Amino acid sequence: MSLEELLKHFNNGETLGTNREYIEQMRYYSRESQKLTMEINTKYHEPEELSKLFSEVIGKPVGEGFGLFPPFYTDFGKNITIGKNVFINAGCKFQDQGGIFIDDGALIGHGVVLATLDHDLAPEKRQQLHPAPIRIGKNVWIGANAVVTKGVTIGDNAVIAAGAVVTKDVPANCIVGGVPAKQIKSIG
């Protein structure tokens, strides 16, 4: 099975765990990403080197002006898209099987978790995974230790407060915070 076939499976939102071939292929790419993130996380790299290594992790170029403060973790790596002038701070964890799309100018704070998978709730199907994308709009700021769950879209210019757990879409030009995150106020 090719990477393109696996990504199509994820991007169509199809359940993972009913076919061993998909699981084994996902684990193969997970190990590839572990090797590259170990390289990123265990020694100093100039910004240009980090951009190159991160591009290898995601399998495509990052946008110009990309910034990363390691360490960075991903358990798949190949379903992340990064726009221009995106900054990812230290300690972030991306579970990207369902797809993570980060638009231009977004700022991702320390320790942010982006999780695009859920396990099935039925105990007999608990090993099955259900993917859905996370979409982060232009100029979004996600504060330290926030968690964004599968299927969430964050509108342009929104701010996610530190420690928030975002389980629903966030409109453009607003601030959300809390567990679960709720709108605090509008911007502008």
Side-chain angles (χ1 to χ4, degrees):
M1 170 188 309
S2 69
L3 175 59
E4 291 73 28
E5 290 171 302
L6 182 59
L7 287 172
K8 182 178 177 185
H9 187 83
F10 285 136
N11 294 336
N12 286 337
E14 296 176 38
T15 298
L16 185 68
T18 57
N19 181 323
R20 273 321 282 170
E21 187 179 3
Y22 286 106
I23 294 288
E24 290 307 316
Q25 195 68 1
M26 180 184 72
R27 288 180 179 164
Y28 169 81
Y29 287 106
S30 295
R31 289 188 298 274
E32 291 289 309
S33 290
Q34 288 172 10
K35 291 175 193 174
L36 290 165
T37 56
M38 284 294 290
E39 173 67 22
I40 288 170
N41 295 339
T42 58
K43 67 180 186 177
Y44 176 79
H45 298 280
E46 291 295 330
E48 302 79 27
E49 293 174 290
L50 282 174
S51 291
K52 182 178 179 291
L53 286 165
F54 200 89
S55 292
E56 287 182 53
V57 169
I58 66 174
K60 55 189 161 257
V62 295
E64 65 182 66
F66 173 76
L68 172 70
F69 283 178
F72 171 80
Y73 305 95
T74 181
D75 63 354
F76 181 64
K78 299 302 184 204
N79 210 2
I80 300 170
T81 302
I82 304 287
K84 296 177 185 172
N85 300 311
V86 168
F87 178 72
I88 301 170
N89 219 324
C92 290
K93 298 174 180 123
F94 289 11
Q95 181 194 54
D96 64 289
Q97 288 87 340
I100 294 173
F101 304 89
I102 303 175
D103 213 333
D104 299 344
L107 304 172
I108 313 297
H110 286 91
V112 167
V113 174
L114 304 179
T116 67
L117 290 175
D118 271 341
H119 290 272
D120 202 280
L121 292 177
E124 66 277 5
K125 296 181 181 178
R126 191 66 44 88
Q127 297 298 319
Q128 294 180 9
L129 302 169
H130 304 285
I134 292 173
R135 299 181 187 283
I136 298 170
K138 288 182 169 70
N139 302 311
V140 167
W141 172 23
I142 301 177
N145 295 311
V147 175
V148 180
T149 62
K150 76 172 194 151
V152 169
T153 296
I154 300 172
D156 293 348
N157 308 312
V159 176
I160 310 302
V165 177
V166 183
T167 60
K168 295 181 180 167
D169 289 354
V170 175
N173 302 304
C174 76
I175 300 171
V176 300
V179 179
K182 293 182 178 18
Q183 188 167 340
I184 297 170
K185 68 179 189 175
S186 294
I187 301 171

